[in-house]
Amino acid sequence: MLRQVVMVLAITVFTTLLTSNVTQAKQHTLANAQTRVSQLANVTTSQQHRLSDKLQRKLNPNSTTVTSTNAKLSPTTVTISATTRHQKTEQAYQQALRQLATQKQVTPTAIPQVMKQQVHHTISLAVNQKINHKIHQINQELTKLIHEIRQTLKHQLNHAFLNVFGALSWLPFAALLIVPVFKFRHND
């Protein structure tokens, strides 16, 4: 009977320490991740907020469910819609036409159609190349960030588990010291 009570108490202490350490590890990881998200250079504020919200959901320190703890944090890829690409291309094209017209000292409508098509094609290629480069750069940053967050979480959780065993390392020795006390009482 006493052995069962001690076993239940030991499991309770172990579980309490583990839950506390895991919660603390998730809080440290989340705080670290949010700091890193705010330092991303090529990401807009709204994207930072969405990423922070997603991290908050995935690394919720108040959650004790296994599914939330084991949830995968996959790198999100950034894409630009065709409409946005077209708008950026048109803006750059109109600006290039105005510059060309100013250079030649004519109105933009007086520029020959063939030249307009060449300018449009050149601008379209340059804008799409710039957008693709920016997307690639952002996706690399996000992938690196996710990898670092995973590594930090893994390290923090390992540390949390090891701290529990370190905190309870005295328990077996205390149990061995208590056994003779009960054994001597029994003999009396």
Side-chain angles (χ1 to χ4, degrees):
M1 169 93 168
L2 184 61
R3 196 175 339 153
Q4 292 171 345
V5 170
V6 171
M7 185 65 83
V8 168
L9 286 174
I11 291 171
T12 304
V13 169
F14 179 82
T15 306
T16 302
L17 283 173
L18 184 60
T19 302
S20 174
N21 286 351
V22 167
T23 300
Q24 189 176 21
K26 287 165 79 175
Q27 285 173 340
H28 283 110
T29 303
L30 183 61
N32 186 339
Q34 288 177 337
T35 301
R36 289 182 182 178
V37 166
S38 66
Q39 293 172 347
L40 289 175
N42 295 315
V43 180
T44 65
T45 307
S46 66
Q47 289 170 332
Q48 286 179 355
H49 288 301
R50 281 191 311 223
L51 191 54
S52 290
D53 290 344
K54 187 173 184 178
L55 285 169
Q56 179 66 37
R57 282 192 315 273
K58 299 286 184 175
L59 297 174
N60 184 2
N62 300 324
S63 172
T64 57
T65 59
V66 176
T67 54
S68 293
T69 304
N70 291 336
K72 297 284 184 197
L73 187 60
S74 59
T76 55
T77 56
V78 176
T79 57
I80 302 291
S81 68
T83 306
T84 305
R85 284 178 185 266
H86 181 69
Q87 288 173 347
K88 297 286 184 187
T89 301
E90 284 303 311
Q91 288 172 351
Y93 170 67
Q94 293 301 327
Q95 184 179 3
L97 274 183
R98 285 192 297 274
Q99 286 176 347
L100 185 62
T102 305
Q103 232 176 18
K104 296 198 180 257
Q105 298 177 349
V106 295
T107 62
T109 55
I111 298 175
Q113 190 63 26
V114 174
M115 188 175 270
K116 284 182 181 179
Q117 287 176 343
Q118 287 175 339
V119 168
H120 191 274
H121 180 69
T122 304
I123 295 295
S124 178
L125 288 176
V127 167
N128 281 322
Q129 185 178 18
K130 187 175 181 180
I131 288 172
N132 289 338
H133 176 71
K134 187 82 162 176
I135 288 172
H136 181 69
Q137 193 176 17
I138 290 171
N139 286 338
Q140 279 186 326
E141 276 187 61
L142 291 176
T143 302
K144 181 181 175 190
L145 175 72
I146 298 301
H147 177 72
E148 289 173 358
I149 291 170
R150 282 182 180 157
Q151 292 302 315
T152 302
L153 181 61
K154 182 178 178 182
H155 173 75
Q156 291 285 336
L157 289 176
N158 284 341
H159 191 68
F161 279 97
L162 292 176
N163 277 348
V164 170
F165 291 115
L168 295 179
S169 62
W170 58 269
L171 193 61
F173 299 114
L176 289 174
L177 292 174
I178 292 174
V179 169
V181 170
F182 288 114
K183 193 170 189 178
F184 292 131
R185 280 190 173 172
H186 186 359
N187 288 340
D188 287 344

